[in-house]
Amino acid sequence: MKLVYSIREASEKSGISSYTLRYYEKIGLLPPAKRNSGGRRTYTDGDLKFLAFLKSLKETGMSLDEINEIVQDGCIMEQISMEVEMSQLTPSLHKRIDILTRHLQNMEAKKLELEQVISATMQKLDTYHSILAKDVDKK
């Protein structure tokens, strides 16, 4: 495993464009990237894991504002490992639960819509196959 990645390598590994990485940094979704001696952004394996997390949320349709709300308090698991008092984590946990619950409801609604579109598409395909089969039978 490599310890440090350039922005190009991080982009390739994460599937997030360099432009988007810079934009996420600009809006505060990502902390400012570490810089090498030449002033170029560098990313670690931990950064790549975080980028994968961000990408997974974005791919499910979560807005950048919602993602920002989730990440602004830092990594809950990291805080637990540092033995931060549960009373300090409770507000963040409740906020994340609310955001993820709303997001899950949105995804379920989209899933239902997609299932309906799939069903209609399958019916159309069946109809077209039937038409072709009747035409072949006539010959």
Side-chain angles (χ1 to χ4, degrees), residues 3-5 22 27 31 34 44 49 57 59 62 68 70 81-83 98 102 107 109 118 121 134:
L3 298 177
V4 178
Y5 304 91
R22 288 184 195 95
I27 65 171
K34 294 166 199 74
T44 64
K49 286 179 186 174
L57 293 177
E59 285 178 341
M62 185 175 280
N68 198 27
I70 287 177
S81 71
M82 293 175 13
E83 299 181 3
D98 290 343
R102 283 192 316 271
M107 287 190 301
I118 289 170
T121 303
K134 288 178 187 174

Side-chain angles (χ1 to χ4, degrees), residues 17-78:
S17 73
S18 299
Y19 172 83
T20 301
L21 291 175
R22 288 184 195 95
Y23 176 71
Y24 284 178
E25 185 179 328
K26 180 180 177 181
I27 65 171
L29 195 58
L30 288 175
K34 294 166 199 74
R35 305 282 179 144
N36 65 15
S37 59
R40 296 187 181 268
R41 288 173 172 83
T42 60
Y43 299 86
T44 64
D45 287 320
D47 294 329
L48 293 180
K49 286 179 186 174
F50 184 64
L51 292 174
F53 170 68
L54 291 180
K55 185 177 181 191
S56 68
L57 293 177
K58 189 69 180 130
E59 285 178 341
T60 63
M62 185 175 280
S63 73
L64 291 180
D65 287 337
E66 290 172 316
I67 294 171
N68 198 27
E69 281 189 65
I70 287 177
V71 302
Q72 71 184 354
D73 296 332
C75 178
I76 293 288
M77 300 313 289
E78 199 173 278

